Amino acid sequence: MPTESSNRVTLSLSNRILARPEVGALVAAVIIFIFFLSAAPAFRSAESFFTVLYQSSTIGIVAVGVGLLMIGGEFDLSAGVITITAGLVNSMLCWNYGMNLWVGALVSLAFCLFIGFVNGYLVMKTGIPSFLITLGTFFVLQGANLGVTKLVTGSVSSPDISQIDGFDSLSAIFASSFKIGPVTVWITVIWWFLFVALAAWVLQRTRTGNWIFAVGGNPDSARAVGVPLIRTKIGLFMTVSFFGWFVGMHLLYRFNTLQAGNGVGNEFLYIIAAVVGGTLLTGGYGNAIGVAIGAFIFGMTSLGIVYAGWDPNWFKAFLGVMLLLAVLVNLYVKRMSTARKVG
């Protein structure tokens, strides 16, 4: 009679590596990195590399939450607009009512978490796809951002908050930078690494991570074995809102003011980063490190075009081609991994 250990399928080291979600994205990132190193001399400096990291972090922080939500089987199309909503709530509350910016930031956080809760609650209670629920939220927030800002300030720009109490301390947390030699390191890069590490730990080492994979892979089976389906999914929507709030605070405290119409379209960048990073659109598969690599690919592509000195009118077309190639490389590596397992 065979023992339990003899029945186990032992994968080789190469198969175990290829089976990881982030491998395809890593291969694509290396290819794109080498391409811009050869095509854009300005891309080769340490300053340029850290600028790419900063650009990647502003997308990558929200993409962490969006990636977790997609692993859980849902989408949030309001994630781009909510970053601006977060900053506008903070700035206009404090500017109009003379509040300390810390109070405004906490009120803004509560408001964003409430939006995430409403998104998740409506998706779970109505059964309407999250694509439609959050699309509605997207339009509501976009209209409110423009309408309320115009009503309060008379323009589509929020007021300058740099003279309000609490600005310096909040700016240090969300929008500070420091020098390492000639290189400027923005604190969002540090926060991005910390959030990715935390999300990776939660996904791989905790019961909550198992729940996220379970509700995204097979919700009915997850519910049958006692996974708190509704609580897990609502929590994931609120997580996206938290990261949106965080980036909104960064934008507000870096530039002191916000344009109410910004943020539109960023939700697709977050989803692209997650997909390029190996997250399946059908849910149940992916990891935080892959999402971070996906955001890094976007940062390299968007700034590499600038460093190469190419016509910016081709930016979107070139970006689309690069991202499509990244997805194809990712898919090829996954198929190769599957073929080797079967073989």
Side-chain angles (χ1 to χ4, degrees), residues 81-92 145 149 153 155-161 247-263:
V81 178
I82 203 170
T83 60
I84 304 302
T85 302
L88 291 175
V89 170
N90 188 183
S91 64
M92 287 196 289
N145 286 350
T149 304
T153 68
S155 71
V156 293
S157 300
S158 67
D160 187 337
I161 60 164
V247 170
M249 293 299 101
H250 166 69
L251 296 174
L252 177 63
Y253 290 99
R254 182 181 176 190
F255 301 108
N256 308 340
T257 182
L258 291 173
Q259 295 295 316
N262 286 351

Side-chain angles (χ1 to χ4, degrees), residues 303-321:
L303 288 179
I305 291 173
V306 176
Y307 290 138
W310 296 334
D311 185 350
N313 290 321
W314 288 93
F315 171 75
K316 291 291 176 63
F318 190 80
L319 179 63
V321 171

Side-chain angles (χ1 to χ4, degrees), residues 96-335:
N96 279 329
Y97 298 106
M99 298 165 56
N100 186 292
L101 285 170
W102 274 96
V103 178
L106 292 175
V107 173
S108 173
L109 174 60
F111 182 73
C112 290
L113 292 177
F114 175 72
I115 292 173
F117 174 82
V118 171
N119 279 338
Y121 183 84
L122 290 177
V123 169
M124 298 311 300
K125 290 299 181 182
T126 65
I128 298 173
S130 54
F131 174 84
L132 294 175
I133 293 288
T134 57
L135 182 62
T137 307
F138 163 84
F139 284 119
V140 170
L141 293 179
Q142 185 189 16
N145 286 350
L146 290 166
V148 173
T149 304
K150 186 72 178 293
L151 184 67
V152 173
T153 68
S155 71
V156 293
S157 300
S158 67
D160 187 337
I161 60 164
S162 58
Q163 302 303 314
I164 300 177
D165 290 343
F167 180 85
D168 291 339
S169 54
L170 284 166
S171 181
I173 294 173
F174 294 107
S176 61
S177 62
F178 56 91
K179 287 277 190 180
I180 300 179
V183 175
T184 300
V185 181
W186 286 92
I187 198 167
T188 51
V189 176
I190 308 297
W191 283 117
W192 179 38
F193 290 163
L194 290 175
F195 288 142
V196 169
L198 177 61
W201 176 76
V202 169
L203 277 176
Q204 302 298 329
R205 301 292 183 185
T206 69
R207 186 171 61 174
T208 302
N210 292 332
W211 289 350
I212 294 172
F213 283 112
V215 300
N218 193 326
D220 293 334
S221 297
R223 192 197 298 270
V225 297
V227 173
L229 184 71
I230 295 176
R231 193 172 69 192
T232 302
K233 291 212 175 189
I234 290 177
L236 289 172
F237 278 103
M238 295 177 72
T239 301
V240 173
S241 291
F242 168 78
F243 286 125
W245 169 82
F246 194 94
V247 170
M249 293 299 101
H250 166 69
L251 296 174
L252 177 63
Y253 290 99
R254 182 181 176 190
F255 301 108
N256 308 340
T257 182
L258 291 173
Q259 295 295 316
N262 286 351
V264 176
N266 283 355
E267 57 277 355
F268 296 112
L269 300 182
Y270 307 143
I271 293 173
I272 288 170
V275 172
V276 169
T279 306
L280 289 185
L281 290 167
T282 51
Y285 185 82
N287 70 23
I289 296 174
V291 175
I293 296 173
F296 182 60
I297 289 175
F298 170 81
M300 281 195 296
T301 306
S302 59
L303 288 179
I305 291 173
V306 176
Y307 290 138
W310 296 334
D311 185 350
N313 290 321
W314 288 93
F315 171 75
K316 291 291 176 63
F318 190 80
L319 179 63
V321 171
M322 297 297 285
L323 290 174
L324 184 59
L325 287 175
V327 173
L328 290 175
V329 170
N330 194 5
L331 182 64
Y332 172 75
V333 172
K334 280 180 185 172
R335 286 181 175 175

